[in-house]
Amino acid sequence: FDAVYTSDSGRAMETAELILKNNGQPEVSLQRNPKVREVCYGIYEGAMPAEAYTPAAKALGYDSVDAMMGAVMGGKLKIEEAMAETDESKTAETWETAQKRVMDGIREIAGEAAERGQKQVLVVSHGMAISAAVVAIDPDAAAGELGNASITKIIYDNGTFTVESVNDMSYIEE
């Protein structure tokens, strides 16, 4: 890799260091970019779904979590919006807010790499953040929930992003 960027999360930095070590490049320095960190759920951060969804369902006027999830599955409600709307701390992000933040970070990283002539850039981020970027670039490339340590390849060429692959785990089989 010519450059390595990571979210400012400890787990992302640790993953990047492991990748570099196993790629024979432990000397490459990590550059942190908080814009590629995981989507924030405010007071629901780290909560199990039942802990987070029950108060959200109640606050939104649903009789049960199942009723709220029916609205989510039916496309009438996005879970990120439900979390953001009912988050008392007002720090939870909507999908659109998170998507804009992550894409701003990806654009910054691509711009810096292009200025420096760097071609192969590793960005270590998180499942929802990666999904947000993929959907922003190509809504048809969405692959559902991403596997831990999966590889998503995004090509940047002259200001344009293209999704080449999503959720690739083939290296594990090798």
Side-chain angles (χ1 to χ4, degrees):
F1 300 105
D2 298 321
V4 179
Y5 290 81
T6 176
S7 94
D8 55 354
S9 162
R11 62 190 168 122
M13 292 184 283
E14 183 178 339
T15 298
E17 289 169 353
L18 286 168
I19 292 168
L20 288 171
K21 178 182 173 190
N22 286 300
N23 201 45
Q25 295 183 281
E27 74 289 345
V28 176
S29 64
L30 304 181
Q31 299 176 67
R32 295 181 194 96
N33 188 317
K35 290 181 180 175
V36 297
R37 75 169 56 132
E38 187 59 291
V39 175
C40 177
Y41 289 104
I43 63 171
Y44 303 111
E45 196 72 35
M48 297 302 289
E51 294 175 81
Y53 297 170
T54 300
K58 183 178 177 183
L60 292 169
Y62 291 96
D63 294 335
S64 66
V65 171
D66 287 341
M68 182 182 77
M69 293 310 289
V72 169
M73 297 303 166
K76 297 176 185 170
L77 175 70
K78 292 181 181 175
I79 198 67
E80 292 82 12
E81 275 69 24
M83 301 292 104
E85 191 170 319
T86 60
D87 173 32
E88 298 160 3
S89 73
K90 303 297 181 206
T91 59
E93 294 178 292
T94 64
W95 180 255
E96 288 77 19
T97 301
Q99 193 173 51
K100 181 186 179 320
R101 172 182 51 80
V102 173
M103 282 308 299
D104 286 349
I106 298 293
R107 284 185 198 94
E108 284 176 11
I109 290 167
E112 288 175 15
E115 284 176 15
R116 296 176 182 156
Q118 298 165 330
K119 303 286 185 198
Q120 298 293 324
V121 178
L122 172 67
V123 179
V124 179
S125 186
H126 311 272
M128 292 293 289
I130 295 166
S131 293
V134 167
V135 170
I137 296 165
D138 181 359
D140 295 330
E145 188 173 341
L146 300 179
N148 282 337
S150 68
I151 298 171
T152 295
K153 190 170 184 180
I154 297 173
I155 307 298
Y156 177 75
D157 184 28
N158 246 1
T160 302
F161 292 98
T162 306
V163 177
E164 184 172 292
S165 62
V166 180
N167 203 24
D168 182 0
M169 300 291 282
S170 62
Y171 73 96
I172 290 175
E173 295 166 9
E174 292 173 13

